[in-house]
Structure formats: C-alpha cells, structure tokens
Amino acid sequence: MFAKAFRVKSNTAVKGSDRRKLRTDVAAAFPAFGSEQLSELVPGKEELNAVKLYAHKGDAVTVYVNGSNPILFELRGTLYPTVYTLWSYPNLLPAFTTWPPVLEKLVGGADLMLPGLTVPPGGLPQVQQGDLCAITLVGNRAPVAVGVAIMSTAEMLASGLKGRGFTVLHTYLDHLWQFGDKSSPPSIAPLDQDPSKCVGNPKEEGPVQVDSILQDNLEHLTLQGDEESRVARPTSSSEAAEELGETEMDQDSTDTKTLQEQMDELLLRCFFHALKCRVTKADLPLLTSTFLEWVGEQGRKVPTPSIVTPCSSLHHYCFLFLTRISAVSSPEGQQLDIKKSSYKKLSKFLHHMVKEEIVQVKELSKGVESIVAVNWKHPSITSFVVPESSPAAQSVQEDTKEKPYRAPDIRSLYCIPANMTSLFQASGHKKGNTLSGNEVREIIIDYAKKNNLVDANNKKCLERLKPAYEVTFYGQEPIVKKGKICPIEITLAHRTYNKKVTLIQNLEVFGLDPYSVASILQQRCQASATITPVPGSKDAIQVQIQGNQINHLSRLLLEEYDIPRKYIHGLEKAPKAGKKK
C-alpha cells in the first residue's frame, strides 16, 4: 500500500476526547495491550497527530503519529500497527518468518507467497483468514512487515504451502516507514514457540533445522516459477558449501589489501558498471540529478538493515545503485561503504573521474551541473568487463522492468436518459444503458420504419442523449464511464520573475503515470520537473516543468504514446521556431 509515495491531505493534533476514543479502539482491536502499554502508545499529554493521506492507489488512510514516528494507521475502519510499534511490542501479532531476500520483493509491493515461509520447530502460528500478522526474517524476531492472512493456517498446510499467503500492507523501508525517523529494526533473538499454540505435527515431520552454512550464505537464493516469482528459495547446503569455499579462495587474494584499498577498487567497479549498463551517447548532456534518479530506479529496492547510507541526500540514490551493482561486481560478501573509501563522498569521487578524463561535467546553468561527455575510449572503460548477474539478480531485473506504454482505445458512447427510455425499450434497452452512435442510428431507423416516421437521420436524438465513453487498456476489460472524457490539458503559467512553466493534467485518464512522465520530461528538456496538486481539486495532481516544453511534450504524447490529437488540448501554445536571418 505504501510502496509508492502518498499525498498528505491534513495533519492535525489529536485532542483529549479523540485520544480516549483512540485508546478504546486500540484496546478493542488488540486485547493483548495492557493499560500501561496503551498509555505509552497513545499518551495523554505528549504530542500525537492524526495525518490524513491518500495512498498512490487512492485509498484514504489516517496515520497516527506519536512524536516523530507513525504508530498506527487506519484503513476502512480497521486499525493496523506500524513496524515502529511492533518493534516495541514484537508479540502483539502472530509472526511468520521468511528469508531476508524476500524483503526486497515485499518492499516493492508484492504479497508474501507461502513457499517463502520457513517452518519453525513448533509449527506455524494458528491464524484464521483475515487475521493481522507480522512478518519477520530468519534470525531476527523484529517484524519487517504487516499483513493480512489470505487463508487459515490449516488451509496453508492443506495446500502444501503453495500460493499467496498474506496480503502485505506495510513494510520496513516503504514510504510510511520513511515518514518516521527511518530507524532500523532492532535485533531480537527468536524464541521457541509453544507447541500448544501452534498447528502442524512436529513429531512426524521432525524439527526443521537451518544449515549453518546456508544461514551464513542467505544471498545464494534463486527466484523460480511464475506464481512463485515473488518468493525466494534457498539452494542446497552442499551447493552453498561449495560456493562458500570458492568465496574463501577469492577472499584470500584480497586479505593483503587494506579495507580502504578494497573499497576504492569496489567503487571503481560499480562506477564503470553503471556507465556501461545505463548511460548512452544519446543521453548526453545529462543532468547529474537525472543520472541519480536513473540509478535510483535500479537501486530503489536494494536497502537491507545492514546497509549504511550516506548523509548526503543528493547522492542517496546513487549510493543505493552502486550497492546493487556491488552485489554483482564484487566478490560475495563484500559490501560497498563509500565512507570507508579514500574518497569519503561521491562528489569527490566524480571530480576525480573528471581529472582522469573519463567524464566531463559542466555547469550549463547556474547551480545545475550536467555530464556533457564520456570518454568511451578510455582504457579503464574499454577494459572493464561487465560481470554476469546471478539468477536471483536477473529474475529481479526482469520482474521490475517497466513494460512499454500502450495507448488505450477510446470510444464515444451515448447514455439513455429517463425522458428517452420509451424510444429504446422496444430494442431491449433501458435507462442508463450506453450505446455507440451506430447502434443509436440503427435503433432510430428501425423505430422510424415501424412507425412510418420521416427523417430517420435526424441527429436531434443524439443531441438529447447523455455523453459517455469506453476506455480499453491493453490486456484489460473495457471500462465504460458516463460524461465526456477529460482530455490531457496543457497550459502555460507564470511564476516568480515572469518565468514560464508548463502544466500537464489528466494524464491518469489515459493510463499514464504523472511521476514517470515528469521523469522523462526532466531528462529530455534538461529542466526541473515536479508533481503538484491541481488547485481547487482534492485528489488530482499535475506535472509542472520549467519553461515552455510543449514541443517535447507533443512528441512524447503524439509520436511515442500514440494518443490521438483530439484528446490533447493546448498543443497550439508551443513556441514557434525563430526565423532564420
């Protein structure tokens, strides 16, 4: 639910009477809470705010924030604890355990599949369909996700632990977690579960033990199957032992180097890997901020509790990308930490690359730097060989690859109003039904012939019908909506110092993600692009980009997205080409 950014509607302090009501609701939803724990969670005098927001899919959610961290969120009248709350009260919900690499999938918005579960010695916790559950990782009892059981424990076992098990609502590292202080999960040692409270027959199956070698090498995982592509399966312990032996041999050659030298070498590998795999000549000149967004797209799902991110927010996404590349470019078990390199910061490293004549960076406008050239013939680039990705990395890349946009098919329809129902009753239609123009014409001609009427082609009938339209997105069922379709509106506005900005609205009607469009325009126009709310509208958003960029926008919408011109308003405001002297 919070895999993508949400929009905050309001943020208000919770009053005394509302606090008492909230405390009562929490006690009813979670009977395990004692009176002291309720007072800690919902304090009487300390700061407590209610934040109303809209998730990226339009769901209205109320989040309760205690101090700096969200503690509860309410969706459709049901209260759910956040991971911050579960870290303080890990026994609040029945917990199911999965492998660490599965967290990456959950953060990306996937549900938890049953093959990804690990069965403890005492069996699985007893839950019913619809029960709230916590999801933990092997080796740590601190929950990293909150979900709802899709089936009971008995049904899970009867299915052979196959299929979807839990609908995941909130995870560590998602945008709701980012709304807090962004702290990492505490380390809580696992406890043996009481067999009387669990189902399953451990006597028949025997205790499930995790091989020590396998537990130390959880990164050796593969993603398999169509339905099971969202979960990770471990390799056998013998294979893990063999790979571990090879890793130790590779590490012997690096033991003679200092940690700083190893980090410098790893940083260079990541940089050249990024250049060869992402940047092309056609992309130049390239804003450094755009480059960081690109690398962020590939590294957005990478963070794990063990990753240390740098303080500089400007280079945050770049660091995440380099961490992802380091998983492929570096020996197993080695992790990138820029602070431990001799450069300390990415900005200093990039300046060093300029001195080495590998890239050229210029300030094309005040305060905005761009990569203007890459020396593709530099020996460091030509000699670098991109390492082969592991099966797990390849599966993740294929799963997260964006599908090409296909313009929807749009068909104008007419809706039958109450005052014209009698005209269409004979043909089997009633009030509210939608018809195409040809269908209306055929019905009227047939009606005119039966009743000996004249002027069968009179269009006054069409004018009296209410407008409607049908939208068919690729691979989906047609959607019929009443009223006229809202075209993509392109307008120009003036901001401070008489600067122009281009505003684009109603992209969602045509299945276009405003955030993706903004990112593409920012890259092509080499200008700042942001998402802003539409004035006077509660939920609508618009893309705002500096300057008159209608020419770029026209090529994007008409030529690449194949959206008919009649559904785009404002293209005539494009700047005219200057006259040649």
Side-chain angles (χ1 to χ4, degrees):
M1 170 168 290
F2 303 104
K4 295 184 179 180
F6 50 77
R7 183 171 65 86
V8 176
K9 179 183 178 183
S10 63
N11 188 345
T12 58
V14 180
K15 299 180 180 179
S17 58
D18 294 330
R19 293 189 186 216
R20 290 190 293 270
K21 181 180 181 303
L22 177 60
R23 200 176 290 118
T24 302
D25 294 340
V26 172
F30 309 104
F33 270 131
S35 57
E36 293 184 1
Q37 293 172 324
L38 284 173
S39 299
E40 293 175 358
L41 188 67
V42 187
K45 295 183 179 180
E46 296 179 13
E47 182 182 1
L48 182 66
N49 286 17
V51 179
K52 293 186 178 181
L53 54 87
Y54 291 101
H56 69 280
K57 290 186 177 180
D59 296 311
V61 184
T62 300
V63 178
Y64 294 97
V65 181
N66 183 349
S68 60
N69 288 332
I71 55 172
L72 301 161
F73 64 95
E74 185 175 359
L75 174 66
R76 302 185 187 96
T78 302
L79 284 171
Y80 301 89
T82 66
V83 290
Y84 290 108
T85 297
L86 293 179
W87 292 343
S88 300
Y89 309 100
N91 298 322
L92 182 62
L93 300 177
F96 291 79
T97 306
T98 186
W99 300 99
V102 177
L103 175 62
E104 179 179 334
K105 288 285 189 180
L106 302 182
V107 174
D111 292 334
L112 179 61
M113 311 295 285
L114 292 177
L117 294 181
T118 62
V119 182
L124 296 174
Q126 176 70 61
V127 296
Q128 299 298 322
Q129 181 181 3
D131 286 354
L132 291 183
C133 302
I135 299 170
T136 63
L137 302 180
V138 172
N140 191 354
R141 201 159 53 93
V144 294
V146 180
V148 178
I150 297 176
M151 61 181 77
S152 66
T153 308
E155 292 171 331
M156 295 180 190
L157 296 175
S159 69
L161 293 182
K162 292 182 180 179
R164 292 172 61 244
F166 303 87
T167 300
V168 178
L169 300 177
H170 159 54
T171 68
Y172 161 64
L173 295 174
D174 68 6
H175 285 268
L176 183 59
W177 168 82
Q178 295 178 23
F179 200 64
D181 61 11
K182 301 181 182 179
S183 56
S184 299
S187 180
I188 306 177
L191 297 177
D192 292 335
Q193 294 181 325
D194 185 356
S196 63
K197 296 182 180 179
C198 299
V199 298
N201 194 344
K203 293 183 180 180
E204 294 181 2
E205 299 178 1
V208 179
Q209 300 292 338
V210 179
D211 191 284
S212 60
I213 298 178
L214 178 62
Q215 190 169 6
D216 292 337
N217 291 273
L218 291 176
E219 66 271 16
H220 301 291
L221 295 164
T222 57
L223 301 176
Q224 300 178 349
D226 184 14
E227 180 185 36
E228 298 174 6
S229 63
R230 292 168 175 257
V231 300
R233 289 173 171 266
T235 59
S236 66
S237 58
S238 61
E239 292 175 352
E242 292 177 3
E243 293 180 7
L244 179 61
E246 294 175 359
T247 299
E248 290 177 349
M249 294 179 62
D250 292 338
Q251 288 178 344
D252 290 340
S253 61
T254 61
D255 289 340
T256 57
K257 298 181 180 180
T258 65
L259 178 61
Q260 187 177 84
E261 291 174 340
Q262 294 179 32
M263 284 299 157
D264 286 350
E265 182 180 344
L266 179 58
L267 182 56
L268 283 170
R269 287 189 193 179
C270 298
F271 176 75
F272 292 129
H273 196 155
L275 280 180
K276 278 202 167 184
C277 294
R278 192 62 179 89
V279 181
T280 63
K281 294 180 180 179
D283 297 324
L284 303 176
L286 178 66
L287 284 174
T288 53
S289 59
T290 302
F291 176 73
L292 296 181
E293 286 185 7
W294 280 4
V295 296
E297 290 173 3
Q298 299 188 38
R300 189 174 292 126
K301 298 181 181 179
V302 171
T304 63
S306 62
I307 290 179
V308 181
T309 57
C311 298
S312 173
S313 60
L314 177 64
H315 296 104
H316 177 66
Y317 285 121
C318 191
F319 178 81
L320 296 181
F321 172 74
L322 294 176
T323 306
R324 160 63 63 84
I325 296 299
S326 69
V328 180
S329 302
S330 63
E332 300 280 354
Q334 191 174 4
Q335 191 175 67
L336 177 65
D337 189 343
I338 299 176
K339 290 184 178 180
K340 294 180 181 178
S341 70
S342 61
Y343 303 100
K344 306 301 180 183
K345 295 181 180 180
L346 271 177
S347 57
K348 187 176 179 181
F349 172 75
L350 291 175
H351 291 154
H352 177 70
M353 293 296 100
V354 172
K355 291 182 180 179
E356 292 292 325
E357 298 182 350
I358 297 174
V359 296
Q360 294 181 23
V361 178
K362 289 186 179 180
E363 190 173 354
L364 298 181
S365 59
K366 188 176 181 180
V368 179
E369 289 187 338
S370 297
I371 300 173
V372 295
V374 176
N375 185 5
W376 302 106
K377 296 182 180 180
H378 194 282
S380 299
I381 297 180
T382 56
S383 62
F384 180 79
V385 179
V386 177
E388 295 183 0
S389 301
S390 64
Q394 291 176 353
S395 180
V396 170
Q397 290 172 1
E398 291 176 1
D399 186 54
T400 57
K401 191 180 294 181
E402 291 187 4
K403 298 180 180 179
Y405 172 78
R406 291 175 181 259
D409 294 328
I410 302 172
R411 191 163 60 112
S412 297
L413 301 176
Y414 297 93
C415 186
I416 301 175
N419 60 353
M420 298 187 70
T421 305
S422 57
L423 180 61
F424 296 90
Q425 279 181 344
S427 57
H429 298 283
K430 57 184 179 180
K431 175 188 174 183
N433 288 164
T434 54
L435 301 168
S436 66
N438 291 334
E439 290 173 330
V440 173
R441 190 171 291 105
E442 290 176 2
I443 292 174
I444 294 176
I445 292 174
D446 185 59
Y447 181 86
K449 288 180 179 179
K450 289 181 180 179
N451 296 276
N452 296 321
L453 299 176
V454 197
D455 198 7
N457 292 322
N458 194 330
K459 294 185 179 181
K460 289 185 178 180
C461 179
L462 288 177
E463 295 174 356
R464 294 183 181 181
L465 293 174
K466 294 184 178 180
Y469 63 95
E470 178 187 83
V471 180
T472 305
F473 291 99
Y474 179 76
Q476 301 181 21
E477 294 295 324
I479 302 173
V480 177
K481 295 185 179 182
K482 296 181 180 180
K484 294 182 178 180
I485 187 170
C486 296
I488 296 176
E489 293 286 353
I490 304 173
T491 57
L492 296 175
H494 291 272
R495 295 293 185 258
T496 310
Y497 303 114
N498 202 30
K499 291 184 178 179
K500 288 184 179 180
V501 294
T502 305
L503 305 175
I504 311 105
Q505 301 177 15
N506 303 329
L507 292 169
E508 304 92 330
V509 177
F510 299 85
L512 290 169
D513 180 13
Y515 292 91
S516 298
V517 174
S519 178
I520 293 173
L521 290 175
Q522 180 177 353
Q523 170 196 338
R524 297 188 180 182
C525 304
Q526 297 290 287
S528 173
T530 58
I531 302 296
T532 61
V534 177
S537 176
K538 293 183 179 180
D539 305 324
I541 58 176
Q542 62 185 359
V543 176
Q544 174 180 302
I545 183 166
Q546 288 184 355
N548 186 336
Q549 309 295 350
I550 297 181
N551 282 328
H552 288 285
L553 190 57
S554 175
R555 287 190 289 271
L556 179 66
L557 298 177
L558 296 176
E559 299 175 11
E560 296 188 30
Y561 293 161
D562 292 327
I563 296 177
R565 183 179 290 269
K566 64 180 179 180
Y567 295 124
I568 307 175
H569 291 179
L571 293 178
E572 69 280 357
K573 300 175 184 176
K576 297 180 181 180
K579 296 182 180 179
K580 296 183 180 180
K581 296 183 179 180

